[in-house]
Amino acid sequence: MSRVDLRERIRQGLFLLDGAMGTQLIARGAEGGKCNDYLNIESPDIIFGIHQAYLEAGSDAVLTNTFGANKCALKRHGLAEKVEDINKAAARIARKATGDDKYVLGDIGPSGDFLEPLGSLKPEELKDAFAEQASVFSAAGVDGLIIETMTALDEVEIAVEAVKSVCELPVFVSFAFDRAGGDFRTMMGVSVESAVSKAVSLGVDVVGFNCGTATLDEYTELAGKYVSAVKQLGKNVLIFAEPNAGKPELVEDRVVYNVSPEDFAAAAEKIHSAGVNIIGGCCGTSPEYIEAVAKRLRK
Ligand SMILES: [Zn+2]
């Protein structure tokens, strides 16, 4: 059975994304500290195996292994000329895993720098980088794009406009929030209301959150805030949530996540009840977490 259009499918109810890529890479023998995105070319079998594990666990979609595969980020590894090769390879591996039934989302991460005068990026340079990555994904036949882990509104604006200038694929945008006092803010000080209203005004299909340093209870609260913010705008925009496996803790010099798949699934159920139908996981999650969510929510 072949998949229906992604825009239609995400309006039909629960839609599960995948979980973390980075920790799975290390678990499968990839060397830390190298360019993970280059593994699409160097070790495609490792990436394919991770996608396959998530699909078997119950994911409806997988994200390509391209978090740092825009020109600005690849430049830091001396791989600025490899944008097309890396993203094309990543899309091909993901599609090989999903076949015709499941969905591939082309993953677009942050530039890793800031726009002038805070950083060294010029707006045109940033726009070209996102447009280039989106063009490769579009030509490679992905079902949608996910612009993720954003913290600055100016970068989000440029990213969404850039991808929309080269294709008509559905666009997901997520922000990374931390708990700041009684409220949630991105690293750049953006509130939930500003993030949601900016993304909605740019015409994205789905707005969400991922990563961050919140506890599962805080992620549940954050989901509620997203639902209210979207409702307040009166727009028919969907919401997605990709929490971490709870709050990261530093043990010796390693970051660890101490939440079990069952606890994660319980939080996912609350997030789902709050009105969020598109759910996955970020740092610290694995196929076991997605499987626990699938078991709990697909009764
Ligand atoms: Zn994360």
Side-chain angles (χ1 to χ4, degrees):
M1 198 186 71
S2 201
R3 64 195 185 282
V4 298
D5 179 75
L6 179 61
R7 280 196 176 94
E8 192 182 325
R9 171 61 187 86
I10 53 181
R11 295 208 168 266
Q12 292 172 351
L14 187 68
F15 187 76
L16 295 184
L17 302 173
D18 59 7
M21 174 62 77
T23 35
Q24 292 299 300
L25 288 173
I26 293 163
R28 287 162 195 256
E31 276 174 63
K34 285 179 72 180
C35 176
N36 281 348
D37 306 273
Y38 198 66
L39 290 172
N40 295 304
I41 291 175
E42 219 172 30
S43 310
D45 294 347
I46 295 182
I47 311 299
F48 177 76
I50 295 170
H51 289 324
Q52 216 175 23
Y54 278 118
L55 292 161
E56 277 166 17
S59 297
D60 295 298
V62 296
L63 276 57
T64 55
N65 174 43
T66 51
F67 181 78
N70 61 72
K71 187 174 265 173
C72 302
L74 284 179
K75 205 189 264 179
R76 287 191 286 277
H77 292 281
L79 295 169
E81 303 311 311
K82 294 283 181 192
V83 173
E84 181 171 2
D85 294 351
I86 290 175
N87 287 285
K88 201 194 250 179
R92 197 182 299 139
I93 299 163
R95 181 59 76 204
K96 189 176 148 197
T98 64
D100 287 338
D101 301 346
K102 301 290 169 69
Y103 298 82
V104 174
L105 293 178
D107 188 62
I108 299 178
S111 64
D113 193 355
F114 298 106
L115 286 160
E116 290 178 334
L118 205 55
S120 63
L121 289 176
K122 292 190 173 27
E124 313 78 66
E125 190 186 349
L126 188 57
K127 188 173 181 195
D128 288 350
F130 289 133
E132 178 186 26
Q133 198 182 3
S135 302
V136 177
F137 282 141
S138 175
V142 304
D143 300 291
L145 299 173
I146 183 160
I147 299 169
E148 59 144 311
T149 325
M150 289 285 146
T151 59
L153 292 183
D154 51 5
E155 183 161 357
V156 166
E157 181 168 341
I158 289 174
V160 176
E161 286 175 359
V163 308
K164 282 181 173 288
S165 73
V166 295
C167 68
E168 292 179 351
L169 290 167
V171 178
F172 292 48
V173 168
S174 72
F175 295 86
F177 280 100
D178 294 315
R179 185 76 187 220
D183 212 351
F184 294 95
R185 297 274 167 179
T186 70
M187 188 179 71
M188 300 304 287
V190 179
S191 69
V192 173
E193 293 73 19
S194 315
V196 170
S197 99
K198 174 56 105 182
V200 169
S201 75
L202 292 168
V204 307
D205 296 85
V206 194
V207 62
F209 58 86
N210 74 304
C211 223
T213 57
T215 63
L216 289 179
D217 284 345
E218 288 166 347
Y219 282 120
T220 306
E221 193 188 333
L222 181 57
K225 284 188 183 285
Y226 261 75
V227 172
S228 323
V230 168
K231 211 173 270 172
Q232 214 143 52
L233 294 168
K235 290 277 162 58
N236 195 14
V237 169
L238 296 172
I239 300 170
F240 75 108
E242 291 179 308
N244 284 344
K247 203 176 179 67
E249 287 167 46
L250 209 56
V251 175
E252 282 157 20
D253 58 347
R254 268 178 3 113
V255 176
V256 296
Y257 295 85
N258 284 319
V259 162
S260 69
E262 286 65 37
D263 291 344
F264 185 80
E269 187 168 37
K270 288 182 196 154
I271 289 170
H272 184 45
S273 309
V276 177
N277 281 338
I278 306 174
I279 300 178
C282 203
C283 303
T285 61
S286 65
E288 291 72 36
Y289 289 72
I290 299 301
E291 191 175 2
V293 173
K295 277 207 179 113
R296 192 150 181 147
L297 297 185
R298 288 199 182 117
K299 284 169 202 150

